[in-house]
Amino acid sequence: MTTSFWIITDIAVFGVALFLTGIIIPQILLIAFRKKLFDEIDERKIHKGVVPRLGGIAFLPAIIFSICLVLATCSSLGYTDIPSILGGVGQSILYLLCAEMLIFLIGIADDLVGVRYKAKFIVQIICAVFICAAGAYIHDLGGIIGIHTIPSWLGWILSGFIVVYLVNAINLIDGIDGLASGLSGIALIFYGIVLTISQQWILALLAWAQFGTLVPFFYYNVFGNPKKQKKIFMGDTGALTLGMLMSFIALSITNIDSLEITYHYNKVVLAFSPLVIPAFDVVRVYFHRVRHHRNPFLPDKCHIHHKLLALGFNQRTSLCLILAAAIAFMLINVLLSPYISATFLLLADIAIWIAINVAITGLIRKKEQTSHTSLYD
């Protein structure tokens, strides 16, 4: 099977996932409005009007269906043999499906009736164990603080933490229209390209299938009109499912042995640079809540998008600024990784992120002093 065959397969999976999600989301909207399943409006929410938050229900079924349909069709036509292409990744995929189904179900429960964060946290830890059991755990830190190869037990602990961390980072960044799906879309395009170049065909299919589900969702989420009952949110179902899959892909990339990629670029940088903004934002928000004696696990309005809104930017402009910053972080880190150590890149990213936030907070303070009203704290 040639590279061109797999590129065509990637395109086919993307197209099927996009088409299927485009069909499912309007049906979810119809059911949600008939059953009055809406996102509750409170002082923290930005949206106006009734909007369903069940868009993420479309993600996992569309991903599984698109990959199974395309691979089964190729096999029926004699282009490929399913057992041979699954090969050693068969067990990994089974563990991944266990994690995805579990997080998918807890997400649906949270969107419909609400689930305590402690219960979600326990489920996330169980899912992280499945991800590590799939072989998607860190074996090499890529030279961060001078460390390369690490013991498997330490890789499991570190990777389990990373899975829970990234899942929550994606969930918590989902605060304005298109932000979680936009940041994830950028990461998935990058992952899809890296995995295709590295000839990690099944992982590439996962990336392109997930991206295919995000395109129609992004349209309904950003451009949908709530007055015409065409707007939808992904909810915890979508954010948790999305975060879990991207955690699996990112950790899998740290184990790639393809010379086309790893000869030039640091694998750890490739894996995590696309997720810099959600990963850094959740840390800043956590410490901000602790510093103000708030529960770090309860939502508020101190994320980066809230800060941009407090400056006077609208949702669309804030979205574009954050997505542009995500692309900049990703490209600069990846392009510099052959020449600069991963430790220095990480420290530079942290310094830049702190500087950006300090500058934005300073501008907010000035605006508060002018208006004599609190726009942030």
Side-chain angles (χ1 to χ4, degrees), residues 206-281:
L206 287 170
W208 291 117
Q210 178 70 85
F211 178 60
T213 66
L214 291 181
V215 174
F217 169 79
F218 186 87
Y219 171 79
Y220 281 99
N221 182 227
V222 176
F223 302 104
N225 188 339
K227 294 181 180 179
K228 296 182 179 179
Q229 301 184 356
K230 296 295 184 182
K231 190 176 188 67
I232 198 166
F233 299 144
M234 71 168 64
D236 275 24
T237 308
L240 296 176
T241 303
L242 185 57
M244 188 63 63
L245 181 61
M246 290 203 297
S247 299
F248 174 79
I249 292 174
L251 289 169
S252 297
I253 286 176
T254 66
N255 296 320
I256 290 177
D257 293 324
S258 171
L259 290 178
E260 289 87 344
I261 290 293
T262 58
Y263 182 78
H264 295 291
Y265 302 105
N266 186 302
K267 292 183 288 186
V268 174
V269 175
L270 288 172
F272 298 112
S273 288
L275 302 173
V276 162
I277 285 186
F280 281 8
D281 188 59

Side-chain angles (χ1 to χ4, degrees), residues 50-348:
V50 292
V51 180
R53 54 176 299 183
L54 301 174
I57 291 177
F59 292 175
L60 187 58
I63 292 170
I64 295 173
F65 181 89
S66 61
I67 293 176
C68 290
L69 177 64
V70 171
L71 289 182
T73 301
C74 291
S75 180
S76 297
L77 296 175
Y79 291 114
T80 186
D81 177 45
I82 292 178
S84 67
I85 63 170
L86 288 177
V89 303
Q91 180 177 311
S92 299
I93 296 301
L94 293 177
Y95 276 121
L96 172 63
L97 288 176
C98 289
E100 286 283 41
M101 285 305 302
L102 192 55
I103 205 73
F104 180 76
L105 292 173
I106 199 70
I108 291 177
D110 193 35
D111 286 334
L112 292 177
V113 297
V115 176
R116 289 181 175 273
Y117 68 84
K118 292 181 180 178
K120 287 194 289 185
F121 186 67
I122 292 172
V123 171
Q124 289 167 10
I125 292 175
I126 295 172
C127 292
V129 172
F130 284 137
I131 295 298
C132 292
Y137 63 90
I138 292 178
H139 299 79
D140 189 320
L141 287 180
I144 294 178
I145 61 173
I147 300 175
H148 286 276
T149 303
I150 59 175
S152 294
W153 65 267
L154 181 57
W156 272 62
I157 294 173
L158 179 59
S159 300
F161 170 79
I162 288 173
V163 170
V164 175
Y165 175 53
L166 290 179
V167 166
N168 283 283
I170 297 299
N171 193 22
L172 293 173
I173 202 72
D174 186 24
I176 60 174
D177 295 343
L179 186 54
S181 55
L183 289 171
S184 300
I186 290 169
L188 288 165
I189 291 172
F190 178 77
Y191 289 153
I193 293 171
V194 168
L195 292 167
T196 300
I197 292 174
S198 303
Q199 299 183 2
Q200 304 295 311
W201 306 123
I202 301 301
L203 292 174
L205 289 179
L206 287 170
W208 291 117
Q210 178 70 85
F211 178 60
T213 66
L214 291 181
V215 174
F217 169 79
F218 186 87
Y219 171 79
Y220 281 99
N221 182 227
V222 176
F223 302 104
N225 188 339
K227 294 181 180 179
K228 296 182 179 179
Q229 301 184 356
K230 296 295 184 182
K231 190 176 188 67
I232 198 166
F233 299 144
M234 71 168 64
D236 275 24
T237 308
L240 296 176
T241 303
L242 185 57
M244 188 63 63
L245 181 61
M246 290 203 297
S247 299
F248 174 79
I249 292 174
L251 289 169
S252 297
I253 286 176
T254 66
N255 296 320
I256 290 177
D257 293 324
S258 171
L259 290 178
E260 289 87 344
I261 290 293
T262 58
Y263 182 78
H264 295 291
Y265 302 105
N266 186 302
K267 292 183 288 186
V268 174
V269 175
L270 288 172
F272 298 112
S273 288
L275 302 173
V276 162
I277 285 186
F280 281 8
D281 188 59
V282 72
V283 173
R284 186 194 60 78
V285 168
Y286 178 89
F287 285 110
H288 181 272
R289 291 170 182 170
V290 171
R291 185 163 60 90
H292 288 82
H293 308 290
R294 301 170 185 163
N295 188 327
F297 299 104
L298 294 181
D300 56 21
K301 297 180 69 172
C302 61
H303 288 277
I304 183 63
H305 47 275
H306 292 125
K307 296 178 76 172
L308 291 175
L309 293 173
L311 275 179
F313 295 110
N314 60 32
Q315 284 198 55
R316 201 70 60 82
T317 302
S318 299
L319 172 66
C320 292
L321 288 173
I322 296 172
L323 295 185
I327 294 172
F329 269 113
M330 179 181 71
L331 292 179
I332 291 172
N333 282 330
V334 170
L335 294 176
L336 290 180
S337 67
Y339 313 105
I340 299 176
S341 73
T343 303
F344 182 83
L345 284 175
L346 176 61
L347 293 175

